[in-house]
Amino acid sequence: GENVEQHPSTLSVQEGDSAVIKCTYSDSASNYFPWYKQELGKRPQLIIDIRSNVGEKKDQRIAVTLNKTAKHFSLHITETQPEDSAVYFCASPGSGYSTLTFGKGTMLLVSP
Amino acid sequence: NAGVTQTPKFQVLKTGQSMTLQCAQDMNHNSMYWYRQDPGMGLRLIYYSASEGTTDKGEVPNGYNVSRLNKREFSLRLESAAPSQTSVYFCATVTTQGGDTQYFGPGTRLTVL
């Protein structure tokens, strides 16, 4: 089955800095790569996703890049704010019907 | 429109007790999923139901059973709870095939003593 590795496990930045989280995947046939944000005590929620026919997608301060050759994709957050503090999960398609395999998560802490 | 709901929110069990976690959705989605979340382990798929009447094992199915009662409801049962099943359980739904957005419920925090 698909294996997704996510780095780093924790990331501390100052407000206004940029943050980058990277994931690698094993199945070269994977074609969909979402990112979920989970605030403390809350449910995971999709923040951005990318399909394999594009290399980059942006939505205001967040962007995702995809390198299919190297089998990795990254989440970029610019001008970080304290409310960006959360756990971020990457994912790629699993072996079952519309299933996802998630990375182990990155705890992002943005200090004022 | 409540989205995805789960009951109960919290539960404490003793080893060997049984319980059923309930999940319901009013989004008319076809596929439903049960995950467990443990510190440092991310979200791991327990069971899923691609459509009404079907269920399949995920990554960590041992110790669990599921029932897709109808299109709206998908329950997870622990027949004989063990401390290793202490976790936060999330239900999720997906509307279409091919990796579309998963919508998560609020979660159930389960402690097994």
Side-chain angles (χ1 to χ4, degrees):
Chain A
E2 175 73 287
N3 183 41
V4 178
E5 295 193 359
Q6 183 172 348
H7 300 280
S9 56
T10 58
L11 180 59
S12 294
V13 300
Q14 292 292 121
E15 184 176 0
D17 288 348
S18 294
V20 181
I21 303 169
K22 182 176 176 178
C23 286
T24 60
Y25 60 97
S26 59
D27 187 351
S28 57
S30 294
N31 59 4
Y32 174 67
F33 306 93
W35 286 90
Y36 285 79
K37 176 183 180 182
Q38 186 180 28
E39 296 177 354
L40 187 63
K42 301 290 182 63
R43 71 191 79 187
Q45 291 188 296
L46 180 75
I47 56 170
I48 194 167
D49 57 15
I50 191 169
R51 297 190 187 270
S52 58
N53 57 342
V54 297
E56 183 176 7
K57 183 177 179 180
K58 289 183 179 179
D59 183 2
Q60 299 183 342
R61 295 187 298 106
I62 61 173
V64 56
T65 58
L66 172 63
N67 183 327
K68 282 191 65 78
T69 302
K71 291 191 285 188
H72 67 71
F73 57 110
S74 299
L75 178 70
H76 304 255
I77 306 174
T78 59
E79 300 174 24
T80 54
Q81 301 168 3
E83 52 264 38
D84 294 329
S85 295
V87 178
Y88 292 81
F89 294 97
C90 64
S92 70
S95 57
Y97 187 97
S98 289
T99 61
L100 292 174
T101 298
F102 285 85
K104 293 184 178 180
T106 296
M107 180 177 292
L108 174 64
L109 178 61
V110 181
S111 302
Chain B
N1 189 341
V4 183
T5 58
Q6 292 182 235
T7 55
K9 286 186 170 56
F10 302 94
Q11 184 71 49
V12 179
L13 293 177
K14 294 181 180 178
T15 297
Q17 288 184 319
S18 62
M19 78 161 294
T20 300
L21 282 67
Q22 306 285 357
C23 175
Q25 52 104 357
D26 61 4
M27 305 171 81
N28 201 33
H29 287 175
N30 293 322
S31 303
M32 300 184 73
Y33 306 80
W34 276 106
Y35 293 92
R36 61 177 289 171
Q37 184 175 33
D38 303 295
M41 296 298 292
L43 293 152
R44 292 183 293 170
L45 184 64
I46 305 171
Y47 270 94
Y48 66 100
S49 171
S51 61
E52 188 178 352
T54 70
T55 60
D56 284 285
K57 295 179 180 179
E59 179 186 354
V60 288
N62 290 346
Y64 306 95
N65 285 300
V66 292
S67 295
R68 183 74 182 266
L69 304 171
N70 47 56
K71 188 172 185 178
R72 290 188 63 248
E73 298 172 290
F74 188 38
S75 63
L76 178 72
R77 182 160 179 83
L78 287 69
E79 290 291 351
S80 179
S84 60
Q85 295 178 304
T86 294
S87 188
V88 179
Y89 292 85
F90 287 99
C91 175
T93 69
V94 169
T95 181
T96 60
Q97 184 179 0
D100 279 335
T101 305
Q102 295 210 357
Y103 296 87
F104 285 83
T108 294
R109 184 173 294 276
L110 175 66
T111 301
V112 183
L113 303 175

